[in-house]
Amino acid sequence: MANDAPMTSDAPRGGLARLRREWALRPERNIQILIGIVAALLFVSPALAVIIGAFRTSPFTEGPQAGVWSLQPVIDVFTNPETWGTLWNTVLLTVASVVPAIILAVFFATLVTRTNALGKWLITGTMAVLVALPPLFYALSWSMLGNETVGLINVWLRGISSGFAEGYLWGQGPLNIESWGGLILVSIFRATAFMYLILIGPFSTMDRSLEEAARVSGAGPIRTFFGTQIPVLMPAISAVVVISTVASMEAFDVPVVLGVPADIYVLPTEVYRYLNDARNPFYGHASAVSILLLVILVGLLVIERRLQGRRRFTTVTGKGSRQGEWSLGRWRLPLFAFSLLYAVVAVLLPLLQLVLVSFSPYFGWNPTDWSKILDPQAGLTTKWFDTILSSQQSVNIFLQTAAVAALAAVLGMIAVIVILWAVKLRRGRLGTLLDGSQMLPMVVPGLLLALGIITVVLIGPWKTMYGSPLLLMAALFIAVVPLASRTIAGAIVQIPAELEEATRVSGGSRARALIAVVFRLLLPSALNGWLLCFVVASGTLAIPMLLGERRAPMLAIKVYDDYLAGNFSLAAASFVLFVVEILLIAMVIEALKRFLTRRARPRKLVMARSTDSDWTGAVHVRPTRLLPRKLDVEPTVDA
């Protein structure tokens, strides 16, 4: 019995030693577990908080707005006929925009990658600009362009129909962009660009040998395309359709600008309507609507992950593939005219409207006398830019927006690189879950993410963070993670594991290998991804609406408030300054990338020419001061 005491006292020590030994023997798994816990706290907790918030009347736990646990918000929402009408509007808008958009995206991708069409750069450039433009600014530009009274499109249509008779500058119609037609049209433009930029890669790697085999068998060009090309690309097309469906169902900026004035509500704007009451926001009801949207989006994400797993069957051949182009013949010029018309309507006209409004003395100004267009009293003016740049508050808004968006983009890129690096350490179920965790914010729209973070902060011990820029930056960081993953995933796969192993063999730690190898090689791609994340974080509207401060708002809130107050010219001038800011940052990034590329370029080895005519290229070793000029022992020569 005396020997039992040491055994019982050593048992905990033995278990702890065993845990330490297992921890040391499986470092890759341990790293994935730690990063997975952090990712779950960041990406999963807001969605869970939204679900929990549906069973509380308010996320506040104390004060006059303190909430209680109740099923009433869920009952009120799911028994309200307006909820199901809003769901029908969401489905209708999604189907009406995604179906035409995928047809246009496939058409343009085929035109650029498979034919000898003119102006391919115009198509790709148009789509890139559409994706890069923040949705709020794009929606505002169309709201001004299609204004029933003074929008450029209606003014020109009235002028053409009346022969530019007197009075055509003022009137009504014939088009109204704040309607179902306008909302669907603008959504189609954005969805087409989004799907095109994803499909351009799979379409460009298609081998034409399948088409040639079908043509030899007697199939026509149309039957060949739909019978061989489309079926092979169907996994990629299906995955893109699902992703675009998710993006369409969670869109907020375009519906709130073009849909709400026409009393058209979708699920994200319905959530905003419950929260828009400053005196008594219905947090529980907003969370209940969010549950309905979350269930749909999670189901779509599961479908997308399954389809993405099948995309490995899309790749056809390697170096031996033939990439011949189809000759369009007499259709070459008409298709170029269609592409040019699409670029003008989708990009040029909205941007032209914004620039014109920013330099106009008032919204709706049109030059009646072209000789006075530069007259400071009756022509174009820069007073709106002077108003913004001379106001310290407006300058502070630009600076604060840039600082918060820049830090959020940096954190997003770093988090994605670390997660993808951890996924590469060890393949398995844990790595798959970790890879999928970074896409979870994709199914939590901006309003829902902000609502979930508010619930987490107010229920937890972090109440002092409520309303601070730090909380806003954290929300934007989580929101840009899926986008950062899309921009960097392809580059990190190309980094061979042997480089990290060489660092480890040389005595470096895993952290040193991550910083000195992975981060350094990914820096050019990370800069591009950072710029895209910065643009998205700077122009998003949903998250700052709930988490931003009204005394020091983000740029998107300031522009939206100016638009609602009727200050269209101020809103347009802010957009022009924002574009100038993005262009300057893009130029700095491009210069930095060229500098890094020049530094990484291997130096040429300069060989000195020898005066010896018998020199065959062997290295000449010159004597140095460390070597004796004469040998102490005379060399012997054999007979």
Side-chain angles (χ1 to χ4, degrees):
M1 298 293 296
N3 297 330
D4 292 341
M7 294 178 61
T8 55
S9 62
D10 291 341
R13 296 181 181 179
L16 184 60
R18 185 168 60 255
L19 290 176
R20 289 178 177 176
R21 185 166 58 252
E22 291 181 358
W23 181 271
L25 291 176
R26 298 180 179 180
E28 294 86 0
R29 186 197 64 176
N30 302 331
I31 293 175
Q32 289 182 341
I33 291 175
L34 290 176
I35 296 177
I37 294 174
V38 176
L41 291 175
L42 290 175
F43 307 144
V44 180
S45 59
L48 294 178
V50 169
I51 298 174
I52 295 174
F55 301 96
R56 285 184 61 88
T57 57
S58 172
F60 293 92
T61 56
E62 56 187 22
Q65 293 184 342
V68 295
W69 296 100
S70 174
L71 288 175
Q72 196 61 40
V74 178
I75 295 174
D76 291 344
V77 167
F78 285 94
T79 57
N80 188 356
E82 291 185 0
T83 301
W84 305 108
T86 304
L87 176 61
W88 168 248
N89 290 344
T90 307
V91 173
L92 178 61
L93 175 62
T94 301
V95 173
S97 58
V98 171
V99 173
I102 187 59
I103 296 175
L104 286 172
V106 171
F107 169 75
F108 282 121
T110 305
L111 202 64
V112 170
T113 61
R114 311 297 291 133
T115 69
N116 62 341
L118 294 172
K120 296 181 180 181
W121 59 271
L122 178 64
I123 298 175
T124 304
T126 300
M127 303 303 178
V129 171
L130 282 172
V131 172
L133 279 176
L136 171 65
F137 295 110
Y138 190 66
L140 291 179
S141 67
W142 269 101
S143 177
M144 299 177 191
L145 180 65
N147 184 276
E148 231 180 339
T149 304
V150 294
L152 281 182
I153 290 182
N154 284 314
V155 170
W156 290 343
L157 289 178
R158 288 197 300 265
I160 294 173
S161 62
S162 64
F164 294 95
E166 185 177 357
Y168 77 93
L169 293 176
W170 304 94
Q172 292 292 325
L175 300 179
N176 182 16
I177 199 66
E178 294 177 350
S179 61
W180 269 111
L183 182 58
I184 292 173
L185 177 66
V186 176
S187 301
I188 287 175
F189 285 147
R190 289 193 58 83
T192 300
F194 176 74
M195 289 190 277
Y196 168 85
L197 292 180
I198 299 179
L199 288 176
I200 194 71
F203 270 73
S204 62
T205 57
M206 278 296 300
D207 182 21
R208 202 170 176 182
S209 60
L210 293 177
E211 177 205 350
E212 294 175 354
R215 296 297 299 274
V216 169
S217 301
I222 298 179
R223 183 179 178 184
T224 299
F225 177 73
F226 287 100
T228 60
Q229 307 290 318
I230 294 298
V232 173
L233 289 167
M234 189 54 66
I237 295 175
S238 303
V240 169
V241 168
V242 173
I243 295 174
S244 183
T245 302
V246 171
S248 177
M249 295 196 73
E250 68 180 20
F252 173 76
D253 300 52
V254 175
V256 79
V257 173
L258 301 179
V260 171
D263 200 27
I264 301 172
Y265 284 87
V266 292
L267 288 177
T269 54
E270 183 74 4
V271 174
Y272 173 67
R273 181 163 63 171
Y274 278 118
L275 298 173
N276 197 28
D277 190 345
R279 293 174 298 176
N280 186 27
F282 296 91
Y283 290 101
H285 294 73
S287 298
V289 176
S290 303
I291 290 178
L292 182 61
L293 184 58
L294 275 176
V295 171
I296 298 174
L297 295 180
V298 169
L300 291 173
L301 183 63
V302 171
I303 295 174
E304 189 271 337
R305 300 300 294 182
R306 291 180 178 272
L307 293 174
Q308 191 178 27
R310 295 167 50 194
R311 288 181 64 184
R312 60 181 179 270
F313 298 105
T314 304
T315 304
V316 180
T317 55
K319 294 182 179 179
S321 62
R322 282 165 285 194
Q323 300 293 336
E325 293 182 340
W326 298 337
S327 177
L328 295 176
R330 60 182 181 179
W331 287 97
R332 199 178 186 196
L333 286 178
L335 289 176
F336 172 71
F338 174 76
S339 302
L340 182 61
L341 177 64
Y342 187 91
V344 169
V345 175
V347 174
L348 184 60
L349 287 181
L351 294 182
L352 177 62
Q353 176 72 80
L354 276 176
V355 173
L356 178 62
V357 172
S358 67
F359 286 98
S360 300
Y362 55 88
F363 177 55
W365 174 87
N366 284 285
T368 55
D369 187 357
W370 288 95
S371 62
K372 297 182 179 180
I373 192 172
L374 298 179
D375 186 356
Q377 301 298 327
L380 299 177
T381 179
T382 60
K383 66 177 182 178
W384 306 114
F385 297 96
D386 297 336
T387 302
I388 295 174
L389 296 177
S390 61
S391 171
Q392 187 61 42
Q393 182 183 6
S394 300
V395 174
N396 291 338
I397 289 174
F398 273 89
L399 294 177
Q400 177 181 333
T401 301
V404 172
L407 289 176
V410 168
L411 292 176
M413 296 303 303
I414 293 175
V416 165
I417 292 174
V418 172
I419 291 174
L420 293 176
W421 169 77
V423 170
K424 286 181 60 179
L425 290 178
R426 183 173 178 267
R427 298 294 180 182
R429 184 173 299 178
L430 185 58
T432 303
L433 292 175
L434 191 60
D435 187 25
S437 67
Q438 60 186 333
M439 302 307 296
L440 286 177
M442 184 177 178
V443 300
V444 185
L447 278 178
L448 275 65
L449 177 62
L451 182 60
I453 290 178
I454 289 176
T455 305
V456 170
V457 169
L458 294 180
I459 293 179
W462 308 284
K463 296 181 178 64
T464 56
M465 292 181 60
Y466 182 68
S468 66
L470 185 62
L471 190 62
L472 175 60
M473 185 188 65
L476 292 175
F477 148 64
I478 296 174
V480 301
V481 163
L483 178 61
S485 176
R486 295 285 181 181
T487 59
I488 206 71
I492 199 171
V493 171
Q494 300 177 7
I495 299 179
E498 290 79 3
L499 295 178
E500 298 181 51
E501 294 175 1
T503 305
R504 297 291 309 282
V505 170
S506 302
S509 61
R510 291 187 182 275
R512 183 177 178 82
L514 175 62
I515 296 174
V517 176
V518 178
F519 274 97
R520 193 169 182 177
L521 293 176
L522 288 177
L523 190 55
S525 300
L527 289 174
N528 292 332
W530 177 88
L531 179 60
L532 189 56
C533 293
F534 174 80
V535 173
V536 172
S538 299
T540 186
L541 176 65
I543 294 177
M545 269 192 165
L546 294 186
L547 297 178
E549 294 185 61
R550 287 293 176 178
R551 292 174 299 177
M554 294 281 284
L555 178 61
I557 298 295
K558 177 65 168 57
V559 170
Y560 186 64
D561 288 343
D562 287 338
Y563 170 77
L564 292 180
N567 299 323
F568 299 101
S569 297
L570 270 179
S574 298
F575 169 75
V576 173
L577 291 176
F578 175 73
V579 171
V580 172
E581 174 191 349
I582 296 302
L583 292 176
L584 291 176
I585 294 176
M587 292 172 61
V588 172
I589 288 180
E590 186 63 27
L592 183 59
K593 286 169 55 180
R594 292 190 178 186
F595 173 74
L596 294 174
T597 304
R598 188 173 302 174
R599 285 193 59 185
R601 188 178 302 169
R603 299 179 180 178
K604 296 181 179 180
L605 182 61
V606 180
M607 299 292 293
R609 295 185 178 180
S610 174
T611 57
D612 188 359
S613 59
D614 297 331
W615 182 53
T616 59
V619 178
H620 286 250
V621 180
R622 298 179 180 178
T624 62
R625 295 181 180 181
L626 299 178
L627 295 177
R629 295 186 178 182
K630 293 184 180 180
L631 297 176
D632 296 335
V633 181
E634 294 293 336
T636 58
V637 181
D638 296 336

